[in-house]
PDB file of all heavy atoms in Angstrom:
ATOM      1  N   ASP A  92     148.796  85.592 110.636  1.00 98.00           N
ATOM      2  CA  ASP A  92     149.531  85.739 111.896  1.00 98.00           C
ATOM      3  C   ASP A  92     151.017  85.438 111.770  1.00 98.00           C
ATOM      4  O   ASP A  92     151.785  85.721 112.695  1.00 98.00           O
ATOM      5  CB  ASP A  92     148.924  84.835 112.970  1.00 98.00           C
ATOM      6  CG  ASP A  92     147.542  85.288 113.384  1.00 98.00           C
ATOM      7  OD1 ASP A  92     147.288  86.504 113.384  1.00 98.00           O
ATOM      8  OD2 ASP A  92     146.706  84.413 113.698  1.00 98.00           O
ATOM      9  N   THR A  93     151.449  84.879 110.647  1.00 98.00           N
ATOM     10  CA  THR A  93     152.829  84.409 110.515  1.00 98.00           C
ATOM     11  C   THR A  93     153.778  85.410 109.865  1.00 98.00           C
ATOM     12  O   THR A  93     154.997  85.199 109.893  1.00 98.00           O
ATOM     13  CB  THR A  93     152.869  83.112 109.699  1.00 98.00           C
ATOM     14  OG1 THR A  93     152.293  83.359 108.401  1.00 98.00           O
ATOM     15  CG2 THR A  93     152.099  82.007 110.397  1.00 98.00           C
ATOM     16  N   VAL A  94     153.262  86.498 109.297  1.00 98.00           N
ATOM     17  CA  VAL A  94     154.139  87.425 108.576  1.00 98.00           C
ATOM     18  C   VAL A  94     153.480  88.798 108.488  1.00 98.00           C
ATOM     19  O   VAL A  94     152.258  88.909 108.406  1.00 98.00           O
ATOM     20  CB  VAL A  94     154.456  86.890 107.156  1.00 98.00           C
ATOM     21  CG1 VAL A  94     153.198  86.809 106.287  1.00 98.00           C
ATOM     22  CG2 VAL A  94     155.538  87.707 106.470  1.00 98.00           C
ATOM     23  N   LEU A 102     158.417  90.496 107.412  1.00 98.00           N
ATOM     24  CA  LEU A 102     158.872  90.224 108.770  1.00 98.00           C
ATOM     25  C   LEU A 102     158.182  88.950 109.239  1.00 98.00           C
ATOM     26  O   LEU A 102     156.969  88.934 109.468  1.00 98.00           O
ATOM     27  CB  LEU A 102     158.531  91.397 109.691  1.00 98.00           C
ATOM     28  CG  LEU A 102     158.895  91.234 111.173  1.00 98.00           C
ATOM     29  CD1 LEU A 102     160.400  91.062 111.353  1.00 98.00           C
ATOM     30  CD2 LEU A 102     158.396  92.434 111.979  1.00 98.00           C
ATOM     31  N   ILE A 103     158.952  87.864 109.329  1.00 98.00           N
ATOM     32  CA  ILE A 103     158.409  86.597 109.804  1.00 98.00           C
ATOM     33  C   ILE A 103     158.205  86.696 111.311  1.00 98.00           C
ATOM     34  O   ILE A 103     159.117  87.053 112.051  1.00 98.00           O
ATOM     35  CB  ILE A 103     159.357  85.431 109.464  1.00 98.00           C
ATOM     36  CG1 ILE A 103     159.624  85.382 107.954  1.00 98.00           C
ATOM     37  CG2 ILE A 103     158.775  84.112 109.964  1.00 98.00           C
ATOM     38  CD1 ILE A 103     158.391  85.183 107.099  1.00 98.00           C
ATOM     39  N   THR A 104     157.019  86.381 111.752  1.00 98.00           N
ATOM     40  CA  THR A 104     156.679  86.597 113.157  1.00 98.00           C
ATOM     41  C   THR A 104     157.169  85.447 114.032  1.00 98.00           C
ATOM     42  O   THR A 104     157.642  84.416 113.547  1.00 98.00           O
ATOM     43  CB  THR A 104     155.163  86.747 113.330  1.00 98.00           C
ATOM     44  OG1 THR A 104     154.527  85.492 113.067  1.00 98.00           O
ATOM     45  CG2 THR A 104     154.608  87.827 112.415  1.00 98.00           C
ATOM     46  N   ARG A 105     157.031  85.661 115.309  1.00 98.00           N
ATOM     47  CA  ARG A 105     157.244  84.593 116.304  1.00 98.00           C
ATOM     48  C   ARG A 105     155.963  84.562 117.139  1.00 98.00           C
ATOM     49  O   ARG A 105     155.814  85.313 118.097  1.00 98.00           O
ATOM     50  CB  ARG A 105     158.471  84.887 117.172  1.00 98.00           C
ATOM     51  CG  ARG A 105     158.809  83.750 118.138  1.00 98.00           C
ATOM     52  CD  ARG A 105     160.172  83.976 118.807  1.00 98.00           C
ATOM     53  NE  ARG A 105     160.496  82.839 119.668  1.00 98.00           N
ATOM     54  CZ  ARG A 105     160.195  82.778 120.967  1.00 98.00           C
ATOM     55  NH1 ARG A 105     159.555  83.793 121.565  1.00 98.00           N
ATOM     56  NH2 ARG A 105     160.505  81.709 121.665  1.00 98.00           N
ATOM     57  N   PRO A 106     155.002  83.725 116.727  1.00 98.00           N
ATOM     58  CA  PRO A 106     153.676  83.761 117.358  1.00 98.00           C
ATOM     59  C   PRO A 106     153.721  83.616 118.873  1.00 98.00           C
ATOM     60  O   PRO A 106     154.550  82.887 119.430  1.00 98.00           O
ATOM     61  CB  PRO A 106     152.953  82.586 116.699  1.00 98.00           C
ATOM     62  CG  PRO A 106     153.592  82.475 115.350  1.00 98.00           C
ATOM     63  CD  PRO A 106     155.043  82.791 115.599  1.00 98.00           C
ATOM     64  N   THR A 115     155.462  79.108 110.590  1.00 98.00           N
ATOM     65  CA  THR A 115     156.133  80.191 109.871  1.00 98.00           C
ATOM     66  C   THR A 115     157.039  79.713 108.748  1.00 98.00           C
ATOM     67  O   THR A 115     157.295  80.462 107.802  1.00 98.00           O
ATOM     68  CB  THR A 115     156.952  81.070 110.838  1.00 98.00           C
ATOM     69  OG1 THR A 115     157.979  80.285 111.441  1.00 98.00           O
ATOM     70  CG2 THR A 115     156.061  81.671 111.919  1.00 98.00           C
ATOM     71  N   LEU A 138     155.302  88.195 118.381  1.00 98.00           N
ATOM     72  CA  LEU A 138     154.472  89.083 117.560  1.00 98.00           C
ATOM     73  C   LEU A 138     153.575  88.224 116.691  1.00 98.00           C
ATOM     74  O   LEU A 138     154.049  87.291 116.043  1.00 98.00           O
ATOM     75  CB  LEU A 138     155.341  89.979 116.675  1.00 98.00           C
ATOM     76  CG  LEU A 138     154.579  90.886 115.704  1.00 98.00           C
ATOM     77  CD1 LEU A 138     154.112  92.148 116.422  1.00 98.00           C
ATOM     78  CD2 LEU A 138     155.435  91.271 114.500  1.00 98.00           C
ATOM     79  N   GLY A 140     150.911  88.456 113.421  1.00 98.00           N
ATOM     80  CA  GLY A 140     150.568  89.370 112.337  1.00 98.00           C
ATOM     81  C   GLY A 140     149.184  89.962 112.456  1.00 98.00           C
ATOM     82  O   GLY A 140     148.930  91.071 111.971  1.00 98.00           O
TER      83      GLY A 140
END
Side-chain angles (χ1 to χ4, degrees):
D92 292 327
T93 59
V94 64
L102 177 62
I103 303 300
T104 69
R105 185 170 183 268
T115 63
L138 176 83

